[in-house]
Amino acid sequence: MSAPWLKFYPSDWRADPALRMCSIGARGLWMEMLCVMHEATPRGSLVVNGRALSTRQIAALAGASVDEVTSYLAELEDAGVFSRADDGTIFSRRMQRDVEKEAADKANGSKGGHPDIRRGTVPKEERVRRFRRSDAPAKAQRIFDRSNGCCHWCAKPLEYDNHHIDHLIAVRDGGSNDEDNLVAACPDCNGERAMASGRNDTDLRVGMRADPKAQKPEARDQKDNPESKSSTT
Ligand SMILES: [Zn+2]
């Protein structure tokens, strides 16, 4: 399932030599196409209900004439902005790469993190004590506000009293309590990251309410996935 938001890198967009060769109209059409491809299945392909879009359909979606779209598509294709699958379906190479990367990250995460990354390499005495809300309530509030009250990882709206503060670089990997290393996260995402990094304590909690789900992510996973009960944990 695709996220409700689209990963977009303004500097890449503006620096992309292929896009820069295209007219403003062609670039506008490409943005419309990216929005359709983001919601498509498979994500990154210009399909609706599994069928490649015709020029006429693209024109209808983008609110442009068939002639305009025909010429913009030729411009984009000549510049190499998009690729076509064997059956002619237009796709975004970048979006497909992102999808593949997400799938690989997810698989790695469920196995406890990328095997090449050694966790906890910073000696205990050199680690900072993890930030807690009670250390600096104003700082916690700023971090919460910076994420617009939504989880940094899944964008789910958070309740202030039941959110966690997550370290982008884990303390055990040398991460600091600087504000730019701290993000607001929901208990589920924070728990999953804690499990992936081999951490099982819960002193990142900033909420006051006890949340057994967040404290025992293993138990939660078993409850949510009954089939995983038999597997080793
Ligand atoms: Zn989340």
Side-chain angles (χ1 to χ4, degrees), residues 168-189:
L168 292 174
I169 300 171
V171 164
R172 66 207 312 273
D173 296 323
S176 73
N177 288 328
D178 292 347
E179 262 179 67
D180 57 9
N181 191 43
L182 298 173
V183 292
C186 72
D188 285 349
C189 288

Side-chain angles (χ1 to χ4, degrees), residues 150-158 184-190 192:
C150 294
C151 172
H152 176 78
W153 306 110
C154 71
K156 199 162 70 183
L158 298 168
C186 72
D188 285 349
C189 288
N190 187 233
E192 268 166 37

Side-chain angles (χ1 to χ4, degrees), residues 64-87:
S65 74
V66 173
D67 284 351
E68 281 172 315
V69 167
T70 304
S71 115
Y72 292 151
L73 279 178
E75 238 185 281
L76 292 166
E77 188 153 28
D78 284 350
V81 171
F82 62 75
S83 294
R84 286 187 191 270
D86 292 341
D87 65 358

